[in-house]
Amino acid sequence: MYLFYHDLIFLVLITVTYPGRGVYISGLPYSLENSRILYRSLFYSLQKEDEINVWFAANVNCEVNVYPEIKKAALVNNTNLPLTTVLYDGSGKAHTYDLKPAEIKWEDYDETGTIK
């Protein structure tokens, strides 16, 4: 069991028991960085850390939206500043993008999830 405190308000409790893992988060204020902590916690609790780099943007200020019905993915810059990020496609392959402020880049992908 691990226990972490930050400013005596934020609490994370992680338990590892056979066959699973539990994550308890309390008092976590919303921010882009904290949403990434929550996202990673979900993969950790499911024991799927090796799958986190699937349809994932390395820059916390970007998000990836995937539309399987039309085999398209949108990479969104959620800031008013230009930025660079790495997008991991559905097959886990890394692609580097330079995005303008508030830009949305649309990409087509194939049956394996690889961006064309």
Side-chain angles (χ1 to χ4, degrees):
M1 177 187 326
Y2 303 97
L3 190 61
F4 301 98
Y5 284 100
H6 175 65
D7 294 338
L8 300 177
I9 298 171
F10 171 59
L11 170 71
V12 175
L13 176 66
I14 300 171
T15 60
V16 180
T17 58
Y18 183 79
R21 297 175 179 161
V23 178
Y24 173 78
I25 300 174
S26 174
L28 185 67
Y30 179 77
S31 71
L32 291 173
E33 291 81 9
N34 288 348
S35 67
R36 187 60 58 99
I37 290 171
L38 179 59
Y39 185 78
R40 289 183 177 276
S41 299
L42 293 171
F43 279 86
Y44 174 81
S45 68
L46 295 169
Q47 299 183 19
K48 295 190 176 202
E49 301 93 328
D50 56 332
E51 295 178 29
I52 197 162
N53 287 339
V54 174
W55 295 122
F56 181 76
N59 189 316
V60 70
N61 294 306
C62 291
E63 67 182 78
V64 181
N65 300 296
V66 180
Y67 302 91
E69 313 82 35
I70 58 173
K71 298 221 182 316
K72 288 190 178 281
L75 178 62
V76 182
N77 177 354
N78 286 321
T79 71
N80 59 354
L81 301 170
L83 57 78
T84 299
T85 191
V86 174
L87 165 66
Y88 295 92
D89 65 19
S91 64
K93 184 177 177 191
H95 305 268
T96 302
Y97 289 88
D98 293 315
L99 298 169
K100 297 174 187 166
E103 182 178 9
I104 301 173
K105 284 219 180 189
W106 288 92
E107 297 291 352
D108 294 316
Y109 63 90
D110 63 21
E111 296 75 28
T112 65
T114 303
I115 291 177
K116 296 179 181 179

